[in-house]
Amino acid sequence: MNSNIRFRAAKVIVVTIATLVLGACKDLSELNINPNGASEEEANPNLLMPTVLTEGAKLYLNLGYQDIAGVVQHTQKDAWAEGHNDYDWGGDQSWNAYYDVLRNNALLYKRASEENMEFHQGVALVMRAFMFGLITDLWGDAPYTDALRGDEDDLAYIFPKFDTQETIYTGIIGELEQASGLLSKPSSEYIGIIGNADVYFGGEPVKWRKFANSLLLRYYMRISEKMPEVAKAGVEKIAGNPSQYPIITEAADDATMAFVGNSASDSWPHNLEFDTEAGSNYRRLKMCATLVNQMQALNDPRLAIWANRVQISLKVDPSLPAGTDKIEGNVRYLSPDKVAGISIDQDPEYVGMPPSWSSSVPSSYNLNPTPGQLSNNPHVSFLNDLYKEASGPLLKARLLSAAEVHFILAEAALKGWSVGNGQEHYNQGVEQSLRAWTVGSAYADYIDNAGVAYEGTIEQVMEQKWIASWTAATEAWFDYRRTGYPDLKAGPAALRRVLPVRFYYMQDELNINRQNAEHALERLEVTPYSQADDKNSAWSKPWLLQGTGKPW
């Protein structure tokens, strides 16, 4: 449904609150504002803020841990795999949940402004930029300047125009600059901060300021192919003025949200404790061979944190008599005739599923003895057991990391921009990612490995950034679209021969806000891979990619 029509109808905003907030709730879905309770005019910013933060973080995690992790070949599914493995998204992807967060955020900003709560205003501006940035990154042109104004008496706001990507990126850069200014004071100079209401940073303004400035780096680099002078000036300004533009440089300051683990709504997604599908969501998700093979080649210590070893490895032994297929210990021994014409992976430690390997029975990969809906393949690596849990020290929605910041600056240095030493930033990107995943002690050995030791290429920087984006794979997709790295190839069962570059506009928006939506469709560039989808295709290029020759 059109986002502003929904806004006009919603006279009262339903707000959720994290468990930590004053100890008042046990479930993120509990209501703190309802038709029989406080009105919008009386809403407390400290009760609005947790909803914006938790729902925004969960949306971002759901992308980077689910279907977009499939796109960038971090993971694959062995059942119900069409969207995850094959990019078969059905031609209809809704942004309603994203605008829901923005509506609550608009009320947060309004009430914070009325109460002169500058910290909360700064937080709201950062989240507005984060969410609108995500929308335009995913869909392309979208309602922005006229969005969230459906309660005003102007029909134009009921059917908002789609702003261009250039307009949206320019706008959110300005909002992040404004937020950074609002968040530049010592904590003692703000009013109304309640640490437990801030589920990212515990009410610390300086950490929010670092988040805002680091997001600026992300979006300046995002537009670097289309607005190179603006991007270069922006990145150099931030890198050259650390006192005015502090950024996230240590893993301890990463923008993350932990999970409480009291219910399905405040827990890590698809954990075994609250999974209504009897654990099948965890079982279906497997490591992808693209990531596993590269991490093994680099002897990467993070692989053991993210993946389980295969329960039973395969071993083809030419000395065995024909017809042999037996399990001894943790090894399944096979005679050559049992695998004739079949490609299998005999790695004794980690095995990933190839990308988009089969559209019919992907669970049959690597001689799985139990293919189908009840698959429990012992010959492919499951995700680490930690992902079965509802909460834990590593189970976090990761919105932006020190590793990403350093890799952005390493890329900028390779472009010839004045941001410091590219090798130092690359090395720090690697080290901070290892620290975030508790294997920082392995850095000294890992950084000297062949393929890891600095080579001074964009390809290498983007490869390490891709690895570091585990569970936050959306950013890796956006980087791939912009640079073509890593050089990912679509699998044989994929919907197209190349990876997609955007989400489809949803049919409700195309039907209800037709005139404005059609203007946005006309601005998309049809490619040979758009095919029957025509303009509204996941393979049609938005402004950001037009004329760049990337990623294909």
Side-chain angles (χ1 to χ4, degrees), residues 240-475:
N241 295 278
S243 60
Q244 185 178 353
Y245 289 97
I247 54 179
I248 298 172
T249 58
E250 301 286 339
D253 290 338
D254 286 357
T256 64
M257 185 189 76
F259 289 87
V260 181
N262 287 332
S263 68
S265 63
D266 63 18
S267 297
W268 183 260
H270 306 316
N271 64 84
L272 296 193
E273 186 171 351
F274 299 107
D275 188 354
T276 59
E277 300 293 330
S280 65
N281 286 311
Y282 169 80
R283 273 193 296 107
R284 290 170 183 156
L285 197 60
K286 302 294 195 298
M287 299 298 296
C288 182
T290 310
L291 180 64
V292 169
N293 295 346
Q294 186 58 27
M295 294 184 78
Q296 286 182 309
L298 299 176
N299 195 23
D300 197 308
R302 290 166 290 189
L303 182 57
I305 304 296
W306 301 341
N308 281 343
R309 294 174 180 242
V310 291
Q311 297 165 18
I312 299 174
S313 63
L314 301 179
K315 184 173 179 59
V316 179
D317 186 347
S319 69
L320 293 173
T324 300
D325 185 347
K326 62 181 181 179
I327 295 176
E328 293 181 357
N330 296 323
V331 181
R332 181 178 174 185
Y333 292 94
L334 300 143
S335 55
D337 62 292
K338 298 295 290 187
V339 296
I342 302 173
S343 177
I344 64 171
D345 190 329
Q346 301 182 62
D347 192 284
E349 295 184 329
Y350 298 97
V351 173
M353 284 185 61
S356 197
W357 176 73
S358 167
S359 60
S360 55
V361 190
S363 59
S364 65
Y365 178 67
N366 224 31
L367 301 183
N368 180 13
T370 59
Q373 292 303 312
L374 298 179
S375 169
N376 191 9
N377 192 345
H379 308 312
V380 174
S381 291
F382 285 74
L383 270 61
N384 191 290
D385 283 353
L386 72 90
Y387 296 105
K388 298 177 180 178
E389 304 299 324
S391 63
L394 294 180
L395 298 179
K396 302 175 182 179
R398 300 172 185 272
L399 282 70
L400 195 149
S401 67
E404 179 187 341
V405 169
H406 284 295
F407 287 132
I408 289 171
L409 293 174
E411 181 184 357
L414 288 171
K415 289 177 177 290
W417 300 355
S418 298
V419 296
N421 184 281
Q423 182 172 356
E424 290 178 4
H425 284 304
Y426 168 82
N427 288 351
Q428 274 296 299
V430 173
E431 181 174 5
Q432 295 308 318
S433 178
L434 296 183
R435 289 187 181 280
W437 292 102
T438 71
V439 287
S441 60
Y443 168 74
D445 292 329
Y446 180 66
I447 199 63
D448 288 333
N449 288 348
V452 180
Y454 185 68
E455 299 167 357
T457 66
I458 295 289
E459 182 175 6
Q460 185 190 41
V461 171
M462 302 316 297
E463 179 182 273
Q464 279 292 331
K465 195 178 179 188
W466 166 69
I467 294 172
S469 70
W470 173 254
T471 71
T474 311
E475 193 60 26

Side-chain angles (χ1 to χ4, degrees), residues 65-146:
Y65 183 58
Q66 291 298 310
D67 279 359
I68 306 307
V71 173
V72 303
Q73 300 172 18
H74 281 180
T75 57
Q76 293 284 281
K77 288 185 176 181
D78 66 8
W80 302 103
E82 292 83 359
H84 194 91
N85 299 1
D86 307 337
Y87 333 129
D88 189 354
W89 294 332
D92 188 6
Q93 291 167 295
S94 175
W95 56 30
N96 285 344
Y98 300 80
Y99 281 100
D100 285 344
V101 173
L102 282 163
R103 277 188 289 278
N104 279 336
N105 190 68
L107 179 57
L108 168 61
Y109 183 80
K110 176 176 180 289
R111 290 292 297 124
S113 299
E114 291 168 351
E115 297 296 327
N116 197 31
M117 299 168 74
E118 288 188 315
F119 169 75
H120 298 73
Q121 288 176 259
V123 168
L125 282 171
V126 173
M127 292 307 296
R128 175 181 164 88
F130 180 82
M131 294 306 300
F132 270 120
L134 192 52
I135 287 169
T136 195
D137 282 338
L138 291 170
W139 280 274
D141 296 354
Y144 173 64
T145 55
D146 288 352

